[in-house]
C-alpha cells in the first residue's frame, strides 16, 4: 500500500501538467472536501503506476488515436488532391478534343476549292483524297464532307460514302456549328459539324471532324505516375512526422487512453478513501497534502488539516517527530489515544518524483489482544497438518493405530491408547452394538503406566466415557477423572492405580468412518496440571476423524487383500500331479502389498509327456487373480486337446482378446492385454522339449554338469493382440537337466533391472547335482527382495527319461492280416512286463485302432506301447482325419470300434503330429505292479 501510494503521489503531478485547467473536488462524508488537483511535475513519475495499472495498447491509447487521426487526415488530403487533378485532367482533355475537332472541321470547310469540289459532277472523287490527307495531318479520327441533306461524300471507310451521316446537323444546316460528345467505338469521343457556305451565305455542304478524348489525354496519363509518386512521398513524410509526434505523446501519456486516465484518477481516489488503512501524503515542506477518511479517524485530525505542518496537527510527539523527520519506517508502533498504530513511511522522490513521503497507519490494538490465541490456533493447525502426514502411512490396521498414539504423545497428550473391535482387525465391519474392544496400541511418555495392555479384550461399562462416546458417536471430555464416577466404576482397582500414577484428564474419541464406529481413541494427560478443554476436544475429534479414515482404508484393504489371496490360492495348484517324466519343485510367493496374476501349472499328458506352464497377468488385485484363474482353466482345457504349444498359445491369444472386447463393450475392467505365458511339453521317451512363449521371459536350462544358460527361443507377442503368430523352439534335454520357469517378479524389482536379475539367476542356478527343492531355495536366497512388489512364481523341473525296456513299438503293414501278428507281439510284450491281465483289453483296443488305421488312413502305421504309471497303447498313421465316437444303430454292421475302445480304456484321445496323427488309449496298471519307473 505504501509503495503504491508513493508512486501515485509521484505520478499525479505529470498528469496535472497535461490538463492544467482540470480541478476536481469531491465532498467526502463529514463535510471534508478533498482536492484532487496535483502540482506540476515530470511525466516519469506517472509512468511506473499508470503503465502498470491501466495501460492501453495500440490505437486505444491517446498516442495511437492521434497517430491514426493524423495519418487519416493526410491520406484524405492526398486522395482529394489526386482526385481533383484527375478530374481536371479529364475536363481539360474533353475541352481540348472539342477545340481540335471544331478547328479541324472549320479549317477544312474554309479550305480553297471546297466549293468547287462540291459543285463537281463527282464530289467524292475530289474531296475523299483531300479529306484523308487532312485527317492524317491533323490527327483526328475522321473528316466527313456531306451534303446539306446529310449524305456522306467522304469517309475513312469508303463503303460508308453515300450513306446518311449519324449525328446532329440541323444547327449546321442553318448556318451554325455543332459540337457534341458521344460514345464511339473507340471510347468517349467529340465531333463537330460546320457549314460550307457560298458567297451569298447559303449552305453548300457540311464538314464534320471527330476525335476520341483519349487521344488528347496522353499528357495527363504520362504525368499520373509522377503525381502518384509525389502523393506517396508526401504520405510517407506525413506518416513519419505523425509517428514522431505519437511517440513523444506515448512517452508522456505512457500508452494510456482517455478513459484509462480518467479511470486511474477515479481508482486512486476510491482506493484512498475506501481502504481500511490511514493514508497521509506529506510534501517536501513537511506539510500535509492529503489525508484519507481512515487517517482522519485514527489521528482525530481537524477539518482544515490539509496544508498545515505535521507538527501543528496535535499528534503524539513521537508520531509528529517521525512524520517530520521523513525517515523510512516499517510497522513502528505509536500510541494514538487509546489505540496502537503501526506506522509505515516511504519517500516519494526515489525515482525523481516530487519531494515528500507517504505514511500509512494501521490499527493493531485488537491484533495485540488476539496474538496469544492466534499462536495457539496456529499450533493446533500445525498439529493437524502434521497428523495428515504421520498417520496412515501404511495399509495395516494395527500400524495405523500405533501411528496415532505415537503422533499424539507428547504433542497433544501424555498417554494415548487405541481400542478396536475384533472384526476390524480381521478386515471386517463391526456389526454388534456392544462396546467390547481389544486394546490395539498404547504409547506414553513413560512405559510403566497402569493402563490396559495391548491385546487385552475390554468390555466398557455403560457409565464409562468410552461407552458413552461409542453410543453417541461423539467425543467425550472427562476433565477431572477423580470426579468421574462412571469411569471409576469400570475397574475400581485399576482406576485407582491410574489416578495414583498422576493421570487426571481424559478425552475419548470414537473412530467413526462412513457412519460406522470401529473403535475408540483415548488421550490421557498427567504431567501437565491443566485439564483438557473444549478447544482440545475439537483437536482430538479431528485427529480421531483422520485416524478413522486411515483405519477404515486399512481395514478394507486387509479384507480385499485376504479375499484376493484366498482367491489366488484357490486358483493355483494345490499339489503336483503324479507323473514320472519330471522331478518337480516349486515356490510361489505373493506380493506383500497386493496380489497379482502370476501362475504356474504342471499338466500330465498321454505318452509319458508333461506340460509345464508359467504365466503372468498384468495388474494386481482380485481382478488379476480372477483373470489368472480363467487363463489357467483355459490352458487345462486346451492341453486336454493335446495341441502343440504354438497352437495352444494362439487359442489363448484369441481368448484374451475376446475377454478384452467383452469387458470393453460393457464398460467393465480395463483390458488385460499384456498377459504373458510360457508353455513347454517334455517327452520322457525322446528327451525332447517343445516350447513356445507369449511375451514371457525365456526359461533357464541347467545342464547335468551345472552349467546354466538361457536358451535362445523365439519370442512371441503378449496374449491379447489377436492374430500374431507364435513359434516353437525345440530343446534336447539330457537326463538330469533342470528346466527353470519363473515370472518377472523374481528377476526384476524397483532397485534392480531385469538384466542384472537374469545374471543373478544364472549364477544361482550354476551348481551340478542339486535337487529341484534345493535349487528353489538357492534361487530365492539370491534374488528374493525384502518386500516383493510383485508375485513370484518359480518352477524347477529335473528331467527323467523312460527306460528302453518300458517302450515297445512295431511297424504295421497296410494289410488286415498284419493285425493278428501285431496282437501276438503285443501279448508277448505284456507277458514280459507281467501285465497278462491287461492282454484281452489291450488286444481289443489295438485291433480296433489298427484296423481303423489300415482301412481309413493308409501309409506307414506304427504301434507303440508305453509303460509308466499307466499302460498306453498308441497307433500312428499319416492321416489328419480324427475319428469320432458315435452310437451305432442296431442295423449298422460297423461303427462300434471307438465305442468299445472308450469302454475298455480309462482314457483315449487323438493328437496331431507333423506327419499325421496318433490315437492313444491308456489303462490303469494293476495295483500289485510297482509304479516307479526306473531310469536309464
Amino acid at each position: 500500500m505504501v509503495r503504491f501510494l508513493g508512486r501515485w503521489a509521484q505520478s499525479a503531478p505529470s498528469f496535472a501538467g497535461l490538463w492544467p485547467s482540470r480541478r476536481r473536488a469531491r465532498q467526502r462524508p463529514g463535510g471534508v472536501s478533498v482536492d484532487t488537483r496535483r502540482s506540476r511535475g515530470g511525466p516519469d513519475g506517472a509512468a511506473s503506476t499508470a503503465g502498470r495499472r491501466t495501460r492501453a495498447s495500440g490505437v486505444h491509447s491517446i498516442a495511437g488515436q492521434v497517430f491514426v487521426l493524423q495519418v487519416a487526415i493526410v491520406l484524405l488530403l492526398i486522395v482529394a488532391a489526386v482526385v481533383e487533378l484527375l478530374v481536371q485532367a479529364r475536363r481539360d482533355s474533353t475541352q481540348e478534343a472539342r477545340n481540335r475537332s471544331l478547328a479541324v472541321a472549320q479549317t477544312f470547310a474554309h479550305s480553297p476549292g471546297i466549293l468547287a469540289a462540291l459543285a463537281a459532277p463527282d464530289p467524292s472523287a475530289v474531296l475523299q483524297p483531300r479529306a484523308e490527307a487532312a485527317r492524317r495531318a491533323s490527327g483526328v479520327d475522321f473528316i466527313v464532307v456531306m451534303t446539306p441533306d446529310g449524305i456522306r461524300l467522304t469517309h475513312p471507310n469508303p463503303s460508308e460514302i453515300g450513306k446518311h451521316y449519324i449525328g446532329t446537323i440541323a444547327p449546321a444546316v442553318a448556318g451554325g456549328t455543332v459540337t457534341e460528345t458521344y460514345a464511339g467505338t473507340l471510347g468517349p469521343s467529340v465531333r463537330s459539324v460546320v457549314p460550307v457556305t457560298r458567297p451569298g451565305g447559303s449552305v453548300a455542304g457540311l464538314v464534320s471532324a471527330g476525335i476520341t478524348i483519349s487521344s488528347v489525354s496522353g499528357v495527363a496519363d504520362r504525368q499520373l505516375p509522377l503525381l502518384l509518386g509525389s502523393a506517396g512521398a508526401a504520405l510517407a513524410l506525413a506518416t513519419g512526422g505523425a509517428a514522431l509526434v505519437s511517440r513523444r505523446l506515448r512517452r508522456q501519456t505512457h500508452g494510456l487512453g482517455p478513459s484509462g486516465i480518467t479511470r486511474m484518477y477515479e481508482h486512486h481516489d476510491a482506493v484512498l478513501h475506501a481502504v481500511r488503512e490511514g493514508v497521509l501524503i506529506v510534501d517536501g515542506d513537511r506539510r500535509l497534502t492529503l489525508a484519507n477518511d481512515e487517517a482522519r479517524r485514527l489521528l482525530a485530525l481537524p477539518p482544515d488539516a490539509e496544508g498545515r505542518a505535521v507538527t501543528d496537527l496535535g499528534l503524539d510527539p513521537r508520531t509528529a517527530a517521525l512524520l517530520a523527520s521523513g525517515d523510512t519506517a516499517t510497522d513502528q508502533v505509536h500510541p494514538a489515544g487509546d489505540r496502537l498504530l503501526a506506522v509505515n513511511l516511504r519517500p516519494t522522490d526515489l525515482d525523481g518524483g516530487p519531494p515528500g513521503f507517504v505514511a500509512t497507519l494501521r490499527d493493531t490494538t485488537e491484533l495485540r489482544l488476539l496474538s496469544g490465541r492466534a499462536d495457539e490456533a496456529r499450533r493446533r493447525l500445525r498439529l493437524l497438518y502434521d497428523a495428515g502426514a504421520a498417520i496412515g502411512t501404511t495399509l495395516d490396521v494395527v500400524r495405523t493405530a500405533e501411528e496415532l498414539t505415537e503422533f499424539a504423545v507428547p504433542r497433544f497428550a501424555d498417554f494415548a491408547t487405541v481400542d478396536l473391535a475384533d472384526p476390524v482387525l480381521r478386515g471386517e465391519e463391526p456389526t454388534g452394538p456392544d462396546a467390547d474392544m481389544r486394546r490395539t496400541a498404547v504409547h506414553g511418555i513413560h512405559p510403566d503406566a497402569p493402563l490396559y495392555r495391548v491385546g487385552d479384550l475390554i468390555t466398557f461399562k455403560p457409565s464409562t466415557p468410552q461407552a458413552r462416546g461409542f453410543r453417541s458417536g461423539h467425543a467425550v471430555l472427562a476433565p477431572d477423572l477423580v470426579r468421574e464416577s462412571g469411569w471409576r466404576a469400570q475397574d475400581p482397582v485399576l482406576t485407582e492405580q491410574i489416578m495414583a500414577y498422576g493421570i487426571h484428564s481424559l478425552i475419548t474419541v470414537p473412530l467413526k468412518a462412513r457412519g460406522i464406529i470401529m473403535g475408540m481413541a483415548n488421550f490421557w494427560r498427567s504431567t501437565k496440571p491443566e485439564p483438557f478443554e473444549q478447544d482440545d476436544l475439537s483437536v482430538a475429534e479431528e485427529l480421531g476423524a483422520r485416524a478413522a479414515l486411515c483405519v477404515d482404508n486399512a481395514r478394507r484393504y486387509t479384507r480385499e487383500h485376504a479375499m484376493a489371496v484366498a482367491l489366488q490360492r484357490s486358483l493355483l495348484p494345490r499339489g503336483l500331479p503324479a507323473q514320472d517324466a519330471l522331478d518337480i519343485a516349486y515356490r510361489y510367493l505373493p506380493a506383500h502389498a497386493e496380489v497379482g496374476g502370476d501362475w504356474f501349472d504342471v499338466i500330465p499328458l498321454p505318452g509319458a509327456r508333461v506340460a509345464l506352464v508359467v504365466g503372468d497377468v498384468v495388474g494386481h488385485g482380485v481382478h488379476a487373480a480372477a483373470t489368472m484363474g480363467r487363463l489357467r482353466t483355459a490352458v487345462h482345457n486346451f492341453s486336454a486337446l493335446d495341441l502343440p504349444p504354438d497352437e495352444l498359445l494362439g487359442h489363448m491369444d484369441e481368448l484374451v482378446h475376446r475377454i478384452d472386447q467383452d469387458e470393453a463393450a460393457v464398460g467393465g475392467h480395463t483390458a488385460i492385454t499384456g498377459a504373458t505365458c510360457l508353455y513347454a511339453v517334455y517327452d520322457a521317451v525322446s528327451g525332447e522339449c517343445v516350447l513356445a512363449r507369449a511375451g514371457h521371459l525365456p526359461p533357464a536350462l541347467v545342464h547335468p554338469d551345472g552349467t546354466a544358460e538361457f536358451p535362445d527361443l523365439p519370442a512371441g507377442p503378449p496374449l491379447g493382440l489377436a492374430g500374431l503368430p507364435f513359434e516353437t523352439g525345440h530343446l534336447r534335454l539330457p537326463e538330469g537337466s533342470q528346466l527353470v520357469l519363473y515370472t518377472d517378479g523374481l528377476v526384476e524389482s524397483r532397485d534392480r533391472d531385469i538384466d542384472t536379475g537374469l545374471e543373478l539367476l544364472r549364477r544361482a542356478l550354476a551348481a551340478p547335482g542339486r535337487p529341484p527343492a534345493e535349487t528353489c531355495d538357492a534361487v530365492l536366497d539370491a534374488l528374493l527382495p525384502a518386500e516383493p512388489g510383485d508375485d513370484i512364481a518359480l518352477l524347477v523341473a529335473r528331467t527323467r527319461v523312460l527306460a528302453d525296456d518300458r517302450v515297445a513299438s512295431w511297424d504295421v503293414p497296410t494289410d488286415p492280416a498284419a493285425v493278428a501278428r501285431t496282437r501276438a507281439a503285443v501279448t508277448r510284450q505284456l507277458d514280459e512286463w507281467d501285465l497278462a491281465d491287461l492282454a484281452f483289453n489291450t488286444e481289443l483296443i489295438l485291433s480296433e485302432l489298427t484296423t481303423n488305421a489300415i482301412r481309413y488312413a493308409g501309409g506307414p502305421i506304427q504301434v507303440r506301447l508305453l509303460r509308466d504309471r499307466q499302460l498306453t497303447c498308441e497307433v500312428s498313421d499319416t492321416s489328419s482325419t480324427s475319428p469320432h465316437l458315435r452310437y451305432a444303430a442296431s442295423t449298422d454292421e460297423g461303427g462300434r470300434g471307438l465305442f468299445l475302445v472308450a469302454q475298455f480304456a480309462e482314457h483315449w484321445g487323438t493328437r496331431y503330429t507333423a506327419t499325421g496323427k496318433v490315437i492313444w488309449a491308456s489303462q490303469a496298471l494293476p495295483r500289485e505292479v510297482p509304479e516307479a519307473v526306473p531310469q536309464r
Side-chain angles (χ1 to χ4, degrees), residues 903-917:
Q903 294 298 316
F904 286 99
E906 190 174 48
H907 301 285
W908 76 279
T910 304
R911 73 173 182 271
Y912 295 93
T913 64
T915 58
K917 69 175 181 298

Side-chain angles (χ1 to χ4, degrees), residues 415-428:
F415 298 91
T417 61
V418 174
D419 308 319
L420 297 177
D422 276 341
V424 176
L425 298 174
R426 298 192 299 267
E428 304 171 1

Side-chain angles (χ1 to χ4, degrees), residues 160-298:
E160 298 293 325
I161 297 176
K163 297 181 180 180
H164 279 282
Y165 174 78
I166 299 173
T168 303
I169 62 174
V173 173
T177 61
V178 178
T179 302
E180 59 182 350
T181 303
Y182 69 99
T185 57
L186 299 179
S189 304
V190 176
R191 58 191 175 194
S192 298
V193 181
V194 300
V196 179
T197 58
R198 297 184 183 93
S202 62
V203 176
L206 302 175
V207 177
S208 176
I211 186 172
T212 58
I213 297 176
S214 60
S215 63
V216 298
S217 62
V219 175
D221 293 342
R222 288 190 298 271
Q223 293 177 349
L224 184 60
L226 179 60
L227 178 63
L228 295 178
S230 301
L235 178 62
L237 183 61
T239 302
L244 294 177
V245 174
S246 175
R247 182 179 179 184
R248 175 64 177 173
L249 185 58
R250 180 177 289 106
R251 284 200 304 267
Q252 292 180 347
T253 61
H254 300 281
L256 291 172
S259 61
I261 294 178
T262 303
R263 216 169 29 245
M264 182 188 69
Y265 278 102
E266 291 177 350
H267 290 173
H268 286 180
D269 187 67
V271 169
L272 283 175
H273 296 284
V275 293
R276 295 295 302 274
E277 291 186 3
V279 178
L280 300 175
I281 298 180
V282 180
D283 61 15
D285 296 332
R286 301 304 186 262
R287 295 184 177 275
L288 181 63
T289 303
L290 182 144
N292 69 344
D293 297 341
E294 185 69 9
R296 291 177 179 275
R297 185 184 68 84
L298 295 176

Side-chain angles (χ1 to χ4, degrees), residues 4 144 182 200 306 339 348 420 528 620 644 695 706 709 716 725 751 909:
F4 167 75
V144 176
Y182 69 99
E306 281 87 352
R339 297 185 179 92
T348 60
L420 297 177
K528 189 175 181 180
H620 296 85
E709 63 173 343
D751 55 352

